[in-house]
Amino acid sequence: MKAEDLQRRFSCGAVEKTYENGRPVVFVLQAVFAVVGIYFFCLFMRETSAGHKIYLLAGLFFCLLRIYRQRDIVCYVTEKGLVVRKQCHSLYEFFSEQIKGTEYLVFIPYEIIFSVSPEWTDFELGQPEIGGIVIQAVRLRFLSKEAKQNILKRIRREQEREE
């Protein structure tokens, strides 16, 4: 998604930095999907039934799509908050996100971030009172360690400026 589209959709201010999954993770997943895609292609070439060929072709298409989409941006650092990819909760959401790509972005202002889980799978948002915290599941687990530290520094800096 382009910076202008992001600013118009979320009113989040200028995009300062973007982060994608760490390079080792991207490389390994691209290699895995390449091997699985080659397997689907080999099965496709040997299959004689047209009905089975459709399923194998769909599997091959999915592998090619995943190889292409491994380098998608998962976190945008903006002036007013973070725009991150939220976790899919159903198979429909998963396939919809694979096709549309930008549907499952969510804007999280810096001032409402209470904490980040150690695995970077969710953000706790709100105030530490009874019923005041909401958990937003996100997909930031595979960011590099440096990217995670930079995001935490940015969150802390903005929260200190708010106080």
Side-chain angles (χ1 to χ4, degrees):
M1 179 174 259
K2 294 181 182 175
E4 299 85 28
D5 297 334
L6 203 67
Q7 291 170 3
R8 194 172 355 159
R9 182 173 170 190
F10 295 109
S11 300
C12 58
V15 175
E16 298 171 357
K17 189 114 172 117
T18 60
Y19 293 104
E20 58 188 33
N21 290 327
R23 291 177 193 244
V25 172
V26 169
F27 177 76
V28 167
L29 288 175
Q30 284 179 332
V32 166
F33 282 113
V35 169
V36 173
I38 291 169
Y39 176 72
F40 277 125
F41 182 74
C42 291
L43 291 177
F44 175 79
M45 294 305 288
R46 288 190 289 166
E47 187 60 48
T48 57
S49 168
H52 288 117
K53 279 191 172 198
I54 292 173
Y55 292 120
L56 296 171
L57 197 59
L60 176 61
F61 177 73
F62 178 76
C63 289
L64 291 173
L65 183 66
R66 287 310 309 152
I67 290 170
Y68 174 72
R69 301 271 317 272
Q70 282 301 313
R71 306 231 12 131
D72 282 356
I73 296 171
V74 294
C75 180
Y76 297 87
V77 177
T78 67
E79 288 179 20
K80 299 178 183 177
L82 300 175
V83 178
V84 296
R85 288 196 184 278
K86 68 179 186 173
Q87 189 67 36
C88 298
H89 294 291
S90 68
L91 195 57
Y92 172 77
E93 285 183 358
F94 174 74
F95 283 113
S96 176
E97 197 268 337
Q98 296 303 312
I99 295 168
K100 296 177 184 174
T102 58
E103 280 291 308
Y104 294 97
L105 292 174
V106 62
F107 174 66
I108 303 173
Y110 294 119
E111 62 268 6
I112 67 168
I113 298 174
F114 179 66
S115 72
V116 180
S117 70
E119 300 85 25
W120 284 75
T121 55
D122 51 57
F123 286 141
E124 291 181 2
L125 311 173
Q127 301 299 321
E129 57 191 39
I130 297 175
I133 293 184
V134 175
I135 296 177
Q136 175 65 55
V138 295
R139 283 195 270 163
L140 300 177
R141 173 180 287 169
F142 299 119
L143 286 174
S144 67
K145 187 178 276 189
E146 178 185 331
K148 290 177 184 178
Q149 290 172 349
N150 290 340
I151 292 171
L152 280 177
K153 285 178 189 174
R154 178 72 168 134
I155 291 169
R156 287 186 185 123
R157 188 172 70 228
E158 285 299 318
Q159 288 178 344
E160 288 171 1
R161 188 182 328 179
E162 293 291 324
E163 294 172 1

